[in-house]
Amino acid sequence: MVSSTIVENGKSNTPKKPSAVGIDPGNYRLVGWDMDTTGKKVIDEICQIAGYTPSSLYSQYVMPYKDLNPPAMKRHNMKIVTIGKFRVLKDNKTNKALKTKSEVSALTDFLTWLSDMSGDATDGIILVYHEPRKVIPAMLIESLKKYNLLERFKQIVKGFANGFNIAEVKCANTVRAFSLRTLSQTLFNQEVQLDNAKERACLALQIVQHLSLLEITNGNEANGSGDSDSSMKSTVEFIREFVQPVEIEEQEYAELKVIFERQNSLRPIFGFLYRVNRRERQQVSPLRRLLAEAGIEYTQLQDAWSNGKKEGLEKLIKEKLTAAEEKKVEDLLSVLESHFDPDKEPKLRISVDRNQIKMENSNINDDKENNNKCDSGTESPDTTTSNSPLKIKSECSENSTIIAEE
């Protein structure tokens, strides 16, 4: 075995179990796969989709309807420019226009290519990708659903295997970080360009093949490329326990969508905090997720506050979050209390500009006083209601779902 213990930050832990349920033995074909997208939300669009096998390569740029967000432009080294009446996808490095297709055309061509690659693999294809957080399978499923291509996809593809999870378990003693860049340097002693989905798709498959060969040779330096049929079958067996069937992936995504809807209902509480900076988002994201995963929506919190103020919130939170850390419960209650009672300063140390908030409230009070003096009959915004413009500061567009942030 390559590794049996995970070492992180100098601490030894029990190896993580694969998050997937695994698949039965069968005749499968492995395909490296990756996508570039306009962002990290499920509703974001594909910019490039790529697939790789030792004998073939598929790569197609896609013209999205909306522009790439700034992190995506930096990550993928591409941008959309308008020339006259036309929008063009360009490479940031060369400033050359990239040949694109529509998303539906690219997905259709990709399915045709996958069908050709399946060959005699009677049990289907396994798509191998590499991500610290599982994002692109859900994005692909959402895109396929949009064009009624999911059923055709499920006839060709058996499941997904995340190379990050495989490396995290199988080679944790020798590598402390499991990114594509680190693994490429450690396993192949080479620097790679990761801004292109084609390169990442190729590397994702090569890494799991290499780890499979290392395990077969008991950790000795592996010889051969792993491209033969026997090597490919060994790699399939090596990653089989990590494979997430498409149906399970689809089911998990449906369950996550319910949680995301609950998270969106909590925007009146967390919306402004998400607009501060990355550090504060990282601090409040687990708190919002705790509420959503416990099945708590904004209306329930409103009712709890109306019925019992702070005590009502404490009762609801402690009933629902029985397994949560005490510190997180305290921080959560502090944020909730400060939301429903604007005069209450939260104990949670968030570097939101409190002076800005006070200034906004002061401006509202001044406007209210001026309105009263002028007897204009207009009402100043009520900052304690969910309809308040100060409370509702949407962190994403309606029906959008944040999956991961870099």
Side-chain angles (χ1 to χ4, degrees):
M1 298 290 288
V2 178
S3 172
S4 60
T5 305
I6 289 180
V7 178
E8 187 175 357
N9 299 325
K11 298 180 181 179
S12 298
N13 301 311
T14 304
K16 294 182 180 179
K17 294 182 179 180
S19 58
V21 297
I23 56 175
D24 295 330
N27 185 10
Y28 304 104
R29 181 65 50 83
L30 298 182
V31 173
W33 162 72
D34 212 321
M35 298 193 313
D36 289 337
T37 56
T38 58
K40 286 294 187 179
K41 302 174 186 175
V42 175
I43 62 169
D44 283 316
E45 302 167 77
I46 300 171
C47 300
Q48 183 187 14
I49 184 168
Y52 165 81
T53 70
S55 60
S56 182
L57 175 67
Y58 175 86
S59 177
Q60 179 60 57
Y61 289 101
V62 177
M63 173 54 69
Y65 286 100
K66 62 181 181 181
D67 295 343
L68 286 76
N69 63 29
M73 286 193 291
K74 182 178 179 181
R75 186 166 56 244
H76 307 319
N77 269 314
M78 64 177 76
K79 61 184 176 182
I80 293 178
V81 298
T82 301
I83 303 176
K85 296 181 179 179
F86 301 97
R87 299 169 72 246
V88 179
L89 187 65
K90 281 193 171 185
D91 187 306
N92 280 343
K93 293 180 177 179
T94 63
N95 203 35
K96 292 183 178 180
L98 301 169
K99 187 176 180 180
T100 61
K101 286 187 176 182
S102 66
E103 190 175 62
V104 62
S105 295
L107 288 172
T108 302
D109 291 347
F110 181 57
L111 293 182
T112 301
W113 180 80
L114 286 176
S115 181
D116 293 340
M117 291 302 100
S118 62
D120 59 355
T122 54
D123 293 306
I125 281 176
I126 297 171
L127 293 180
V128 180
Y129 66 104
H130 196 104
E131 277 194 319
R133 299 178 181 178
K134 188 168 62 175
V135 178
I136 57 173
M139 301 178 79
L140 178 61
I141 288 174
E142 184 72 11
S143 296
L144 291 168
K145 281 184 176 180
K146 184 165 50 177
Y147 304 111
N148 297 317
L149 294 172
L150 184 58
E151 291 306 315
R152 181 183 172 188
F153 176 79
K154 290 161 71 173
Q155 292 173 2
I156 303 170
V157 176
K158 178 64 177 179
F160 300 90
N162 191 346
F164 184 92
N165 295 338
I166 298 170
E168 193 175 25
V169 172
K170 297 294 186 178
C171 64
N173 266 349
T174 54
V175 183
R176 297 200 175 195
F178 309 101
S179 66
L180 280 174
R181 190 179 305 279
T182 301
L183 290 172
S184 176
Q185 292 171 344
T186 304
L187 300 178
F188 306 132
N189 193 28
Q190 65 181 20
E191 292 283 347
V192 293
Q193 295 295 326
L194 300 177
D195 55 4
N196 191 291
K198 177 175 62 176
E199 303 298 332
R200 297 195 304 273
C202 176
L203 191 57
L205 182 59
Q206 290 175 342
I207 284 174
V208 296
Q209 288 178 313
H210 191 82
L211 294 180
S212 173
L213 289 173
L214 284 177
E215 180 154 298
I216 292 173
T217 57
N218 293 319
N220 297 322
E221 187 65 28
N223 296 319
S225 64
D227 296 348
S228 67
D229 288 342
S230 59
S231 295
M232 187 65 72
K233 289 179 181 179
S234 299
T235 306
V236 169
E237 188 62 28
F238 174 73
I239 70 169
R240 192 167 54 80
E241 63 177 319
F242 295 88
V243 177
Q244 186 91 324
V246 177
E247 292 78 10
I248 301 299
E249 194 76 49
E250 190 179 5
Q251 178 183 336
E252 284 189 359
Y253 172 52
E255 294 170 354
L256 282 174
K257 283 172 69 174
V258 176
I259 295 178
F260 297 147
E261 289 172 3
R262 294 196 196 111
Q263 288 183 345
N264 284 337
S265 78
L266 298 170
R267 282 184 292 180
I269 300 173
F270 296 96
F272 178 73
L273 300 177
Y274 266 79
R275 294 168 66 91
V276 182
N277 58 50
R278 179 184 177 88
R279 183 177 180 182
E280 275 58 54
R281 287 199 300 272
Q282 291 176 337
Q283 193 171 7
V284 299
S285 285
L287 304 181
R288 187 183 68 160
R289 188 165 56 250
L290 273 178
L291 289 175
E293 291 178 350
I296 300 176
E297 298 183 354
Y298 185 74
T299 53
Q300 293 173 272
L301 295 169
Q302 278 183 314
D303 292 340
W305 178 262
S306 299
N307 295 330
K309 301 297 180 182
K310 181 180 179 180
E311 292 74 15
L313 288 175
E314 287 181 349
K315 181 180 179 182
L316 175 64
I317 295 302
K318 290 180 179 179
E319 282 180 357
K320 296 287 188 177
L321 303 178
T322 55
E325 298 176 11
E326 185 176 348
K327 177 64 168 59
K328 287 187 177 181
V329 171
E330 291 177 359
D331 291 343
L332 183 56
L333 286 171
S334 176
V335 171
L336 295 177
E337 188 179 359
S338 66
H339 167 74
F340 289 106
D341 184 0
D343 295 328
K344 182 75 173 180
E345 287 283 343
K347 295 179 182 178
L348 179 62
R349 188 176 182 84
I350 298 176
S351 59
V352 177
D353 189 348
R354 308 301 299 183
N355 292 329
Q356 179 183 352
I357 298 175
K358 290 178 180 179
M359 185 178 298
E360 290 176 349
N361 290 335
S362 176
N363 291 337
I364 291 172
N365 292 332
D366 290 343
D367 290 342
K368 185 173 181 179
E369 289 178 4
N370 292 335
N371 289 335
N372 290 338
K373 289 179 181 179
C374 297
D375 194 22
S376 63
T378 59
E379 295 182 359
S380 62
D382 179 5
T383 60
T384 63
T385 66
S386 61
N387 293 324
S388 166
L390 292 183
K391 291 295 179 184
I392 301 179
K393 292 183 181 285
S394 174
E395 64 203 70
C396 54
S397 60
E398 188 172 358
N399 296 327
S400 70
T401 305
I402 297 179
I403 298 295
E405 293 186 21
E406 296 198 346

